[in-house]
Amino acid sequence: QVQLVESGGDLVQPGGSLRLSCAASGSIFSIYAMGWYRQAPGKQRELVAGITSGGSTNYAKSVKGRFTISRDNAKNTVYLQMNSLKPEDTAVYYCNANYTDYEGWLYDYWGQGTQVTVSS
């Protein structure tokens, strides 16, 4: 019943920009936090940026100053604005949500991922 739909991944030139979106829908009562993770081939999945429902944010050191995470609570949607993209940003980007359903159970849910490729 719960779905995270990611969009915005694309092929982009170094120095370019992309905006990723993740919309959550389904039997969600309350979202505590949402975030973006990424995984490059042969590497562990890492946190890129996270945001709580109250607006607190956290960024990986490698993207701080270049990426901005934001959210629209009314739409249950988070965004990742990515500027000054580098080839090392190439990865599959996954949306994550920590939420409770209407019965009070806590979940940690993942989207299917969207490919970001930074290349000349």
Side-chain angles (χ1 to χ4, degrees):
Q1 293 182 353
V2 174
Q3 188 175 25
L4 297 180
V5 179
E6 299 135 316
S7 63
D10 206 349
L11 171 65
V12 66
Q13 299 275 347
S17 297
L18 286 173
R19 190 193 192 207
L20 305 183
S21 299
C22 176
S25 63
S27 57
I28 298 171
F29 176 73
S30 179
I31 297 177
Y32 290 101
M34 297 185 75
W36 289 96
Y37 292 72
R38 68 185 180 188
Q39 187 167 22
K43 299 184 66 177
Q44 296 286 337
R45 186 177 298 187
E46 64 174 348
L47 173 69
V48 178
I51 188 167
T52 70
S53 60
S56 297
T57 59
N58 191 29
Y59 296 91
K61 292 181 180 179
S62 60
V63 307
K64 196 170 186 178
R66 299 188 297 120
F67 292 7
T68 302
I69 189 169
S70 61
R71 82 276 188 268
D72 185 338
N73 289 336
K75 297 180 179 179
N76 280 343
T77 301
V78 295
Y79 307 93
L80 185 67
Q81 179 65 46
M82 304 185 294
N83 298 326
S84 302
L85 283 162
K86 305 174 181 179
E88 49 263 46
D89 294 318
T90 296
V92 178
Y93 284 70
Y94 296 91
C95 180
N96 171 262
N98 296 323
Y99 69 94
T100 56
D101 63 14
Y102 293 97
E103 296 180 349
W105 293 102
L106 181 64
Y107 295 88
D108 183 25
Y109 199 79
W110 295 89
Q112 294 300 306
T114 183
Q115 177 70 51
V116 172
T117 302
V118 185
S119 176
S120 299

